[in-house]
Amino acid sequence: MPNAFERALQDTERHFASPNDILDNHEFSREQKIKLLKNWDYTLRLKLVASEESMTGPEPEGRTSEKLRRVGKALEQLGYSDDQPDGPSKTGA
């Protein structure tokens, strides 16, 4: 059975209402929080790509962009910086 971190990693957006909820969580280590936020970042970027290709879900694109900005700020608060340049993909992965 997966532990709390593994369950949260499977669907981060479902487990946390906002990136600040991850920051405020005392159950996870800094590294786990970064992993959760990076996972959320990747999911949001995929949603933006889907939106660009007219394959959107129920959430308006503006909300996704705002969440992405908040996830980035949360990563900054944890002292995380992605030293690798963005790749050629739209998701930066």
Side-chain angles (χ1 to χ4, degrees):
M1 178 158 197
N3 63 32
F5 172 72
E6 291 166 342
R7 284 191 306 272
L9 192 58
Q10 289 174 355
D11 193 352
T12 308
E13 193 168 16
R14 184 172 155 219
H15 283 82
F16 300 98
S18 76
N20 283 337
D21 291 344
I22 294 174
L23 293 177
D24 295 340
N25 186 297
H26 298 289
E27 185 177 349
F28 302 128
S29 69
R30 176 182 175 274
E31 290 75 23
Q32 288 174 318
K33 290 177 182 182
I34 288 171
K35 217 172 201 183
L36 289 167
L37 288 164
K38 285 177 63 178
N39 182 58
W40 202 347
D41 179 271
Y42 182 73
T43 301
L44 291 169
R45 288 179 188 276
L46 288 178
K47 285 183 180 183
L48 286 175
V49 170
S51 174
E52 289 176 6
E53 297 177 2
S54 300
M55 298 185 301
T56 57
E59 192 165 352
E61 185 178 336
R63 277 200 184 141
T64 301
S65 297
E66 176 58 23
K67 279 185 188 175
L68 187 59
R69 186 187 66 75
R70 291 192 333 239
V71 167
K73 285 208 175 271
L75 282 165
E76 286 176 14
Q77 284 183 268
L78 290 172
Y80 175 81
S81 78
D82 189 1
D83 292 336
Q84 300 200 4
D86 286 343
S89 74
K90 291 182 180 181
T91 62

Coordinates of all heavy atoms in Angstrom, one line a residue:
M1 N 0.8 -1.2 0.0 CA 0.0 0.0 0.0 C 0.9 1.2 0.0 O 1.8 1.4 0.8 CB -0.9 0.0 1.2 CG -1.8 1.2 1.4 SD -3.2 0.8 2.4 CE -4.2 2.1 2.0
P2 N 0.6 2.2 -0.9 CA 1.4 3.4 -1.0 C 1.3 4.3 0.3 O 0.3 4.3 0.9 CB 0.9 4.2 -2.2 CG -0.3 3.4 -2.7 CD -0.5 2.2 -1.9
N3 N 2.4 4.9 0.6 CA 2.4 5.8 1.8 C 1.8 7.2 1.4 O 1.5 7.4 0.2 CB 3.8 5.9 2.4 CG 4.8 6.6 1.4 OD1 4.5 7.4 0.6 ND2 6.1 6.1 1.5
A4 N 1.7 8.1 2.3 CA 1.1 9.4 2.0 C 1.8 10.1 0.9 O 1.1 10.7 0.1 CB 1.0 10.2 3.3
F5 N 3.1 10.1 0.9 CA 3.8 10.8 -0.1 C 3.6 10.2 -1.5 O 3.3 10.9 -2.5 CB 5.3 10.8 0.2 CG 6.2 11.3 -0.9 CD1 6.2 12.7 -1.2 CD2 6.9 10.5 -1.7 CE1 6.9 13.2 -2.3 CE2 7.7 11.0 -2.8 CZ 7.7 12.3 -3.1
E6 N 3.6 8.9 -1.6 CA 3.4 8.2 -2.9 C 2.0 8.5 -3.4 O 1.8 8.7 -4.6 CB 3.6 6.7 -2.8 CG 5.1 6.4 -2.5 CD 5.3 5.0 -2.1 OE1 4.4 4.3 -1.6 OE2 6.5 4.5 -2.2
R7 N 1.0 8.5 -2.5 CA -0.4 8.8 -2.9 C -0.5 10.3 -3.4 O -1.1 10.5 -4.4 CB -1.4 8.6 -1.7 CG -1.7 7.1 -1.5 CD -2.8 7.0 -0.5 NE -2.7 7.7 0.7 CZ -2.0 7.2 1.8 NH1 -1.5 6.0 1.8 NH2 -2.0 8.0 2.9
A8 N 0.1 11.2 -2.7 CA 0.1 12.6 -3.1 C 0.8 12.8 -4.4 O 0.4 13.6 -5.3 CB 0.7 13.5 -2.0
L9 N 1.9 12.1 -4.7 CA 2.7 12.2 -5.9 C 1.9 11.7 -7.1 O 2.0 12.2 -8.2 CB 4.0 11.4 -5.8 CG 5.0 11.6 -6.8 CD1 5.4 13.1 -6.9 CD2 6.3 10.8 -6.6
Q10 N 1.0 10.7 -6.9 CA 0.2 10.2 -8.0 C -0.8 11.2 -8.5 O -1.1 11.2 -9.7 CB -0.6 8.9 -7.5 CG 0.3 7.7 -7.3 CD -0.5 6.6 -6.7 OE1 -1.7 6.7 -6.3 NE2 0.2 5.5 -6.5
D11 N -1.3 12.1 -7.7 CA -2.2 13.1 -8.1 C -2.1 14.3 -7.2 O -3.0 14.5 -6.4 CB -3.7 12.6 -8.2 CG -4.6 13.5 -8.9 OD1 -4.2 14.6 -9.3 OD2 -5.8 13.1 -9.2
T12 N -1.1 15.1 -7.4 CA -0.8 16.2 -6.5 C -1.9 17.2 -6.4 O -2.3 17.6 -5.3 CB 0.6 16.8 -6.9 OG1 1.6 15.9 -7.0 CG2 1.0 17.9 -5.9
E13 N -2.4 17.5 -7.5 CA -3.5 18.6 -7.5 C -4.7 18.1 -6.8 O -5.4 19.0 -6.2 CB -3.8 18.9 -9.0 CG -4.6 20.2 -9.2 CD -4.6 20.7 -10.6 OE1 -4.3 19.9 -11.5 OE2 -5.0 21.8 -10.8
R14 N -5.0 16.9 -6.8 CA -6.1 16.3 -6.1 C -5.9 16.4 -4.5 O -6.9 16.5 -3.8 CB -6.4 14.9 -6.5 CG -7.7 14.3 -6.0 CD -8.0 13.0 -6.6 NE -8.7 12.2 -5.7 CZ -8.6 10.9 -5.6 NH1 -7.7 10.3 -6.3 NH2 -9.4 10.3 -4.7
H15 N -4.7 16.2 -4.1 CA -4.4 16.1 -2.7 C -4.2 17.5 -2.0 O -4.3 17.6 -0.8 CB -3.2 15.2 -2.4 CG -3.5 13.8 -2.5 ND1 -3.5 13.1 -3.7 CD2 -3.8 12.9 -1.6 CE1 -3.9 11.8 -3.5 NE2 -4.0 11.7 -2.2
F16 N -3.9 18.5 -2.8 CA -3.6 19.8 -2.2 C -4.3 20.9 -3.0 O -4.4 20.9 -4.2 CB -2.1 20.1 -2.3 CG -1.2 19.1 -1.6 CD1 -0.6 18.1 -2.3 CD2 -1.0 19.2 -0.2 CE1 0.2 17.2 -1.6 CE2 -0.2 18.3 0.4 CZ 0.4 17.3 -0.3
A17 N -5.0 21.8 -2.2 CA -5.7 22.8 -2.8 C -4.8 23.9 -3.5 O -5.2 24.6 -4.4 CB -6.7 23.5 -1.8
S18 N -3.7 24.1 -2.9 CA -2.7 25.1 -3.4 C -1.3 24.7 -3.1 O -1.1 23.9 -2.2 CB -3.0 26.5 -2.7 OG -2.5 26.5 -1.4
P19 N -0.4 25.3 -3.8 CA 1.1 25.0 -3.5 C 1.5 25.3 -2.1 O 2.3 24.6 -1.5 CB 1.8 25.9 -4.5 CG 0.8 26.1 -5.7 CD -0.5 26.1 -5.0
N20 N 0.8 26.3 -1.5 CA 1.1 26.7 -0.1 C 0.8 25.5 0.8 O 1.4 25.4 1.9 CB 0.4 28.0 0.3 CG 1.1 29.2 -0.3 OD1 2.3 29.1 -0.6 ND2 0.3 30.3 -0.4
D21 N -0.2 24.7 0.5 CA -0.6 23.6 1.3 C 0.6 22.6 1.4 O 0.8 22.0 2.4 CB -1.8 22.9 0.8 CG -3.1 23.7 1.0 OD1 -3.0 24.7 1.8 OD2 -4.1 23.4 0.3
I22 N 1.3 22.5 0.3 CA 2.5 21.6 0.3 C 3.6 22.3 1.2 O 4.2 21.6 2.0 CB 3.0 21.4 -1.1 CG1 2.0 20.6 -1.9 CG2 4.4 20.7 -1.1 CD1 2.3 20.4 -3.4
L23 N 3.8 23.6 1.0 CA 4.8 24.2 1.8 C 4.5 24.1 3.3 O 5.5 24.0 4.1 CB 4.9 25.7 1.4 CG 5.4 26.0 0.0 CD1 5.4 27.5 -0.2 CD2 6.8 25.5 -0.2
D24 N 3.3 24.2 3.7 CA 2.9 24.2 5.1 C 2.8 22.8 5.7 O 2.7 22.7 6.9 CB 1.5 24.9 5.2 CG 1.5 26.3 4.9 OD1 2.6 26.9 4.9 OD2 0.4 26.9 4.6
N25 N 2.9 21.8 4.8 CA 2.8 20.4 5.3 C 4.1 20.0 6.1 O 5.2 20.2 5.6 CB 2.6 19.5 4.1 CG 2.4 18.1 4.5 OD1 3.3 17.4 5.1 ND2 1.2 17.5 4.1
H26 N 3.9 19.5 7.3 CA 5.1 19.1 8.1 C 5.4 17.7 8.0 O 6.4 17.2 8.6 CB 4.8 19.5 9.6 CG 4.6 21.0 9.7 ND1 5.7 21.9 9.6 CD2 3.5 21.7 10.0 CE1 5.2 23.1 9.8 NE2 3.9 23.1 10.0
E27 N 4.6 16.9 7.2 CA 4.8 15.5 7.1 C 5.9 15.2 6.1 O 6.6 14.1 6.2 CB 3.5 14.9 6.6 CG 3.5 13.4 6.6 CD 2.1 12.8 6.2 OE1 1.1 13.6 6.2 OE2 2.1 11.6 5.9
F28 N 6.1 16.1 5.1 CA 7.1 15.8 4.0 C 8.4 16.6 4.2 O 8.4 17.7 4.7 CB 6.4 16.1 2.7 CG 5.2 15.4 2.4 CD1 4.0 16.1 2.0 CD2 5.1 14.0 2.5 CE1 2.9 15.4 1.7 CE2 3.9 13.3 2.2 CZ 2.8 14.0 1.8
S29 N 9.5 16.0 3.7 CA 10.8 16.6 3.7 C 10.8 17.7 2.6 O 10.0 17.7 1.7 CB 11.9 15.6 3.5 OG 11.8 15.1 2.2
R30 N 11.8 18.5 2.7 CA 12.0 19.5 1.6 C 12.1 18.9 0.3 O 11.5 19.3 -0.7 CB 13.3 20.3 1.9 CG 13.7 21.3 0.8 CD 15.0 22.1 1.1 NE 15.3 22.9 0.1 CZ 16.1 22.6 -1.0 NH1 16.5 21.3 -1.1 NH2 16.4 23.4 -2.0
E31 N 12.9 17.8 0.2 CA 13.0 17.1 -1.1 C 11.7 16.5 -1.6 O 11.4 16.6 -2.8 CB 14.1 15.9 -1.0 CG 15.5 16.4 -0.8 CD 15.8 17.0 0.6 OE1 15.1 16.6 1.6 OE2 16.7 17.8 0.8
Q32 N 10.9 16.0 -0.7 CA 9.6 15.5 -1.1 C 8.7 16.6 -1.6 O 8.0 16.4 -2.6 CB 8.9 14.7 0.0 CG 9.6 13.4 0.3 CD 9.0 12.7 1.6 OE1 8.8 13.4 2.6 NE2 8.8 11.4 1.5
K33 N 8.7 17.7 -0.9 CA 7.9 18.9 -1.3 C 8.3 19.3 -2.7 O 7.5 19.7 -3.5 CB 8.1 20.0 -0.3 CG 7.4 19.7 1.0 CD 7.7 20.9 2.0 CE 7.1 20.5 3.4 NZ 7.2 21.6 4.3
I34 N 9.6 19.4 -3.0 CA 10.1 19.8 -4.3 C 9.6 18.8 -5.3 O 9.1 19.2 -6.4 CB 11.7 19.9 -4.3 CG1 12.1 21.1 -3.5 CG2 12.2 19.9 -5.7 CD1 13.6 21.2 -3.3
K35 N 9.7 17.5 -5.0 CA 9.2 16.5 -6.0 C 7.7 16.7 -6.3 O 7.3 16.6 -7.4 CB 9.5 15.1 -5.4 CG 9.9 14.1 -6.4 CD 10.3 12.8 -5.7 CE 11.2 12.0 -6.7 NZ 11.6 10.8 -6.1
L36 N 6.9 16.9 -5.2 CA 5.5 17.1 -5.4 C 5.2 18.4 -6.3 O 4.4 18.4 -7.2 CB 4.8 17.3 -4.0 CG 4.7 16.0 -3.2 CD1 4.3 16.4 -1.8 CD2 3.7 15.1 -3.8
L37 N 5.9 19.5 -6.0 CA 5.7 20.7 -6.7 C 6.2 20.6 -8.2 O 5.5 21.1 -9.1 CB 6.4 21.9 -6.0 CG 5.8 22.3 -4.7 CD1 6.7 23.2 -3.9 CD2 4.5 23.1 -5.0
K38 N 7.3 19.9 -8.4 CA 7.8 19.6 -9.8 C 6.8 18.8 -10.5 O 6.5 19.0 -11.7 CB 9.2 19.0 -9.8 CG 10.3 20.0 -9.4 CD 11.6 19.3 -9.3 CE 12.0 18.7 -10.7 NZ 13.3 18.1 -10.7
N39 N 6.2 17.8 -9.9 CA 5.2 17.0 -10.5 C 3.9 17.8 -10.9 O 3.4 17.7 -12.0 CB 4.8 15.8 -9.5 CG 3.8 14.9 -10.1 OD1 4.0 14.3 -11.1 ND2 2.6 14.8 -9.4
W40 N 3.5 18.7 -10.0 CA 2.4 19.6 -10.2 C 2.7 20.5 -11.4 O 1.9 20.7 -12.2 CB 2.0 20.3 -8.9 CG 0.6 20.9 -8.9 CD1 -0.3 21.0 -9.9 CD2 0.0 21.4 -7.7 NE1 -1.4 21.5 -9.4 CE2 -1.3 21.8 -8.1 CE3 0.4 21.6 -6.4 CZ2 -2.2 22.3 -7.2 CZ3 -0.5 22.1 -5.5 CH2 -1.8 22.5 -5.9
D41 N 3.9 21.1 -11.4 CA 4.4 21.9 -12.5 C 4.2 21.2 -13.8 O 3.7 21.8 -14.8 CB 5.8 22.4 -12.2 CG 6.4 23.2 -13.3 OD1 6.9 22.7 -14.2 OD2 6.3 24.5 -13.1
Y42 N 4.7 20.0 -13.9 CA 4.7 19.2 -15.1 C 3.2 19.0 -15.6 O 2.9 19.2 -16.7 CB 5.4 17.9 -14.9 CG 5.5 17.1 -16.2 CD1 6.3 17.4 -17.2 CD2 4.7 15.9 -16.3 CE1 6.3 16.6 -18.4 CE2 4.7 15.1 -17.4 CZ 5.5 15.5 -18.5 OH 5.6 14.7 -19.6
T43 N 2.4 18.6 -14.6 CA 1.0 18.4 -14.9 C 0.3 19.6 -15.5 O -0.4 19.6 -16.5 CB 0.2 17.9 -13.7 OG1 0.8 16.7 -13.2 CG2 -1.2 17.6 -14.0
L44 N 0.6 20.8 -14.9 CA 0.0 22.0 -15.3 C 0.5 22.4 -16.7 O -0.2 22.9 -17.5 CB 0.3 23.2 -14.3 CG -0.4 23.0 -13.0 CD1 0.2 24.0 -12.0 CD2 -1.9 23.2 -13.1
R45 N 1.8 22.2 -17.0 CA 2.4 22.5 -18.3 C 1.7 21.6 -19.4 O 1.4 22.0 -20.5 CB 3.9 22.3 -18.3 CG 4.6 23.3 -17.5 CD 6.1 23.1 -17.5 NE 6.7 24.1 -16.6 CZ 7.1 25.3 -17.0 NH1 6.8 25.8 -18.2 NH2 7.7 26.1 -16.1
L46 N 1.4 20.3 -19.0 CA 0.7 19.5 -20.0 C -0.7 20.0 -20.2 O -1.2 20.0 -21.4 CB 0.6 18.0 -19.4 CG 1.9 17.2 -19.4 CD1 1.6 15.9 -18.8 CD2 2.5 17.1 -20.8
K47 N -1.3 20.5 -19.2 CA -2.7 21.1 -19.4 C -2.6 22.3 -20.3 O -3.5 22.5 -21.2 CB -3.3 21.5 -18.1 CG -3.8 20.4 -17.3 CD -4.4 20.9 -16.0 CE -4.9 19.7 -15.2 NZ -5.6 20.2 -13.9
L48 N -1.6 23.1 -20.2 CA -1.4 24.3 -21.1 C -1.2 23.9 -22.5 O -1.7 24.5 -23.4 CB -0.3 25.2 -20.6 CG -0.5 26.0 -19.3 CD1 0.7 26.8 -18.9 CD2 -1.7 27.0 -19.6
V49 N -0.4 22.8 -22.7 CA -0.1 22.3 -24.1 C -1.5 21.8 -24.7 O -1.8 22.1 -25.8 CB 0.9 21.2 -24.1 CG1 1.0 20.5 -25.4 CG2 2.3 21.8 -23.7
A50 N -2.2 21.1 -23.9 CA -3.5 20.6 -24.3 C -4.4 21.7 -24.7 O -5.1 21.6 -25.7 CB -4.1 19.7 -23.2
S51 N -4.4 22.8 -23.9 CA -5.2 23.9 -24.2 C -4.8 24.6 -25.5 O -5.7 24.9 -26.3 CB -5.1 25.0 -23.1 OG -5.7 26.2 -23.4
E52 N -3.5 24.7 -25.8 CA -3.0 25.2 -27.0 C -3.5 24.4 -28.2 O -3.6 24.9 -29.3 CB -1.5 25.3 -27.0 CG -1.0 26.4 -26.1 CD 0.6 26.4 -26.1 OE1 1.2 25.6 -26.8 OE2 1.1 27.1 -25.3
E53 N -3.7 23.1 -28.0 CA -4.0 22.2 -29.1 C -5.5 21.9 -29.1 O -6.0 20.9 -29.6 CB -3.2 20.9 -29.0 CG -1.7 21.2 -29.2 CD -0.8 20.0 -29.0 OE1 -1.3 18.9 -28.8 OE2 0.4 20.2 -29.1
S54 N -6.3 22.7 -28.4 CA -7.7 22.6 -28.3 C -8.2 21.3 -27.7 O -9.2 20.7 -28.1 CB -8.4 22.8 -29.7 OG -8.0 24.1 -30.2
M55 N -7.5 20.8 -26.8 CA -7.9 19.6 -26.1 C -8.0 19.9 -24.6 O -7.5 19.2 -23.7 CB -6.8 18.5 -26.3 CG -6.6 18.1 -27.7 SD -5.5 16.7 -27.9 CE -4.0 17.3 -27.2
T56 N -8.7 21.0 -24.3 CA -8.8 21.4 -22.9 C -9.8 20.6 -22.1 O -10.8 20.0 -22.6 CB -9.2 22.9 -22.8 OG1 -10.4 23.0 -23.5 CG2 -8.2 23.8 -23.4
G57 N -9.6 20.6 -20.8 CA -10.5 20.0 -19.9 C -11.4 21.1 -19.3 O -11.6 22.2 -19.9
P58 N -12.0 20.9 -18.1 CA -12.9 21.8 -17.6 C -12.4 23.1 -17.0 O -13.1 24.0 -16.8 CB -13.6 21.0 -16.4 CG -12.5 20.0 -16.0 CD -11.8 19.7 -17.3
E59 N -11.1 23.2 -16.8 CA -10.5 24.3 -16.2 C -10.0 25.4 -17.2 O -9.3 25.0 -18.2 CB -9.3 23.9 -15.3 CG -8.8 25.0 -14.5 CD -7.9 24.5 -13.4 OE1 -7.7 23.3 -13.2 OE2 -7.3 25.3 -12.7
P60 N -10.4 26.6 -17.1 CA -10.0 27.7 -18.0 C -8.4 27.8 -18.0 O -7.8 27.7 -16.9 CB -10.6 29.0 -17.5 CG -11.7 28.5 -16.5 CD -11.3 27.2 -16.0
E61 N -7.9 28.2 -19.1 CA -6.4 28.3 -19.3 C -5.8 29.3 -18.3 O -4.7 29.1 -17.7 CB -6.1 28.7 -20.7 CG -4.6 28.7 -21.0 CD -4.3 29.1 -22.4 OE1 -5.1 28.9 -23.3 OE2 -3.1 29.6 -22.6
G62 N -6.5 30.4 -18.0 CA -6.0 31.4 -17.1 C -5.8 30.9 -15.7 O -4.8 31.2 -15.0
R63 N -6.6 30.0 -15.2 CA -6.4 29.4 -13.9 C -5.2 28.5 -13.9 O -4.5 28.5 -12.9 CB -7.7 28.6 -13.5 CG -8.8 29.4 -13.0 CD -9.7 28.5 -12.2 NE -10.8 29.3 -11.7 CZ -12.0 28.9 -11.7 NH1 -12.3 27.7 -12.1 NH2 -13.0 29.7 -11.2
T64 N -5.0 27.8 -15.0 CA -3.9 26.9 -15.0 C -2.6 27.7 -15.0 O -1.6 27.4 -14.3 CB -3.9 26.0 -16.3 OG1 -5.2 25.2 -16.3 CG2 -2.8 25.1 -16.4
S65 N -2.6 28.8 -15.8 CA -1.4 29.7 -15.8 C -1.1 30.3 -14.4 O 0.0 30.3 -14.0 CB -1.6 30.8 -16.8 OG -1.7 30.3 -18.1
E66 N -2.2 30.7 -13.7 CA -2.0 31.2 -12.4 C -1.5 30.2 -11.4 O -0.6 30.4 -10.6 CB -3.3 31.8 -11.9 CG -3.3 32.3 -10.5 CD -2.2 33.4 -10.2 OE1 -1.8 34.1 -11.2 OE2 -1.8 33.6 -9.1
K67 N -2.0 29.0 -11.5 CA -1.5 27.9 -10.6 C -0.1 27.6 -10.9 O 0.7 27.4 -10.0 CB -2.3 26.6 -10.8 CG -3.6 26.6 -10.1 CD -4.3 25.2 -10.3 CE -5.7 25.2 -9.7 NZ -6.4 23.9 -9.9
L68 N 0.3 27.6 -12.2 CA 1.7 27.3 -12.6 C 2.6 28.4 -12.0 O 3.7 28.1 -11.5 CB 1.8 27.3 -14.1 CG 3.1 26.9 -14.7 CD1 3.5 25.5 -14.3 CD2 3.0 27.0 -16.2
R69 N 2.2 29.6 -12.0 CA 3.0 30.7 -11.4 C 3.1 30.5 -9.9 O 4.2 30.6 -9.3 CB 2.3 32.1 -11.6 CG 3.1 33.3 -11.2 CD 2.3 34.6 -11.3 NE 1.2 34.6 -10.4 CZ 1.3 34.8 -9.1 NH1 2.5 35.0 -8.5 NH2 0.2 34.9 -8.3
R70 N 2.1 30.1 -9.2 CA 2.1 29.8 -7.8 C 3.0 28.6 -7.4 O 3.7 28.6 -6.4 CB 0.7 29.7 -7.2 CG -0.1 31.0 -7.2 CD -1.4 31.0 -6.4 NE -2.0 29.7 -6.3 CZ -3.2 29.4 -6.7 NH1 -3.9 30.3 -7.3 NH2 -3.7 28.2 -6.5
V71 N 3.0 27.6 -8.3 CA 3.8 26.5 -8.0 C 5.3 26.9 -8.2 O 6.2 26.5 -7.4 CB 3.5 25.3 -9.0 CG1 4.6 24.3 -9.0 CG2 2.2 24.7 -8.7
G72 N 5.6 27.7 -9.2 CA 7.0 28.2 -9.4 C 7.4 29.0 -8.2 O 8.6 28.9 -7.7
K73 N 6.6 29.9 -7.6 CA 6.9 30.7 -6.4 C 7.2 29.8 -5.2 O 8.1 30.0 -4.4 CB 5.8 31.7 -6.1 CG 5.8 32.8 -7.1 CD 5.2 34.0 -6.3 CE 5.3 35.2 -7.2 NZ 6.5 36.0 -7.1
A74 N 6.4 28.7 -5.1 CA 6.6 27.8 -4.0 C 7.9 27.1 -4.1 O 8.6 26.9 -3.1 CB 5.4 26.7 -3.9
L75 N 8.3 26.7 -5.3 CA 9.6 26.0 -5.5 C 10.7 27.0 -5.2 O 11.7 26.6 -4.6 CB 9.7 25.6 -7.0 CG 9.0 24.3 -7.4 CD1 8.9 24.1 -8.9 CD2 9.7 23.1 -6.7
E76 N 10.6 28.3 -5.5 CA 11.5 29.3 -5.2 C 11.7 29.4 -3.7 O 12.8 29.6 -3.2 CB 11.2 30.6 -5.8 CG 11.4 30.8 -7.3 CD 10.9 32.1 -7.8 OE1 10.6 33.0 -7.0 OE2 10.7 32.2 -9.0
Q77 N 10.5 29.4 -3.0 CA 10.6 29.5 -1.5 C 11.3 28.3 -0.9 O 11.9 28.5 0.2 CB 9.2 29.5 -1.0 CG 8.5 30.9 -1.2 CD 7.1 30.9 -0.5 OE1 6.1 30.6 -1.2 NE2 7.1 31.2 0.7
L78 N 11.4 27.2 -1.5 CA 12.1 26.1 -1.0 C 13.6 26.1 -1.5 O 14.4 25.2 -1.1 CB 11.5 24.7 -1.5 CG 10.1 24.4 -0.9 CD1 9.5 23.2 -1.6 CD2 10.3 24.1 0.6
G79 N 13.9 27.2 -2.2 CA 15.3 27.3 -2.6 C 15.7 26.5 -3.8 O 16.8 26.3 -4.2
Y80 N 14.6 26.0 -4.6 CA 14.9 25.2 -5.7 C 15.0 26.1 -7.0 O 14.3 27.0 -7.2 CB 13.7 24.2 -6.0 CG 13.8 23.4 -7.3 CD1 14.6 22.3 -7.3 CD2 13.2 23.8 -8.4 CE1 14.8 21.6 -8.5 CE2 13.4 23.1 -9.6 CZ 14.2 22.0 -9.6 OH 14.3 21.3 -10.8
S81 N 16.0 25.7 -7.8 CA 16.2 26.4 -9.1 C 16.6 25.3 -10.1 O 17.4 24.5 -9.8 CB 17.2 27.5 -9.0 OG 18.5 27.0 -9.1
D82 N 15.9 25.4 -11.2 CA 16.2 24.4 -12.3 C 17.3 25.0 -13.1 O 17.1 25.9 -13.9 CB 14.9 24.3 -13.1 CG 15.0 23.1 -14.1 OD1 16.1 22.5 -14.1 OD2 14.1 22.9 -14.9
D83 N 18.5 24.4 -12.9 CA 19.7 24.9 -13.6 C 19.7 24.5 -15.0 O 20.6 25.0 -15.8 CB 21.0 24.5 -12.9 CG 21.1 25.1 -11.5 OD1 20.5 26.2 -11.3 OD2 21.8 24.5 -10.6
Q84 N 18.9 23.5 -15.4 CA 19.0 23.1 -16.8 C 18.1 24.0 -17.7 O 17.0 24.3 -17.3 CB 18.5 21.6 -16.8 CG 19.3 20.7 -16.0 CD 19.1 19.3 -16.4 OE1 18.4 19.0 -17.3 NE2 19.8 18.4 -15.7
P85 N 18.6 24.3 -18.8 CA 17.8 25.1 -19.7 C 16.6 24.3 -20.2 O 16.6 23.1 -20.3 CB 18.8 25.4 -20.9 CG 19.8 24.3 -20.8 CD 19.9 23.9 -19.4
D86 N 15.5 25.1 -20.5 CA 14.3 24.4 -21.1 C 14.7 23.6 -22.3 O 15.4 24.1 -23.2 CB 13.2 25.4 -21.4 CG 12.6 25.9 -20.1 OD1 12.8 25.3 -19.1 OD2 11.9 27.0 -20.2
G87 N 14.1 22.4 -22.4 CA 14.3 21.6 -23.6 C 13.4 22.1 -24.7 O 12.7 23.1 -24.6
P88 N 13.5 21.4 -25.8 CA 12.7 21.8 -27.0 C 11.2 21.6 -26.9 O 10.4 22.1 -27.7 CB 13.3 21.0 -28.1 CG 13.9 19.8 -27.4 CD 14.3 20.3 -26.1
S89 N 10.8 20.8 -25.9 CA 9.4 20.5 -25.7 C 8.6 21.7 -25.1 O 9.2 22.5 -24.4 CB 9.2 19.2 -24.9 OG 9.4 19.5 -23.5
K90 N 7.3 21.7 -25.3 CA 6.5 22.8 -24.8 C 6.4 22.7 -23.3 O 6.1 23.7 -22.6 CB 5.1 22.7 -25.4 CG 5.0 23.1 -26.8 CD 3.6 23.0 -27.3 CE 3.5 23.4 -28.8 NZ 2.1 23.4 -29.3
T91 N 6.6 21.5 -22.7 CA 6.5 21.3 -21.3 C 7.8 21.7 -20.5 O 7.8 21.8 -19.3 CB 6.1 19.9 -20.9 OG1 7.2 19.0 -21.3 CG2 4.8 19.5 -21.5
G92 N 8.9 21.9 -21.3 CA 10.2 22.2 -20.6 C 10.8 20.9 -20.1 O 11.8 21.0 -19.4
A93 N 10.2 19.8 -20.3 CA 10.7 18.5 -19.8 C 11.8 17.9 -20.7 O 11.8 18.1 -21.8 CB 9.6 17.5 -19.6

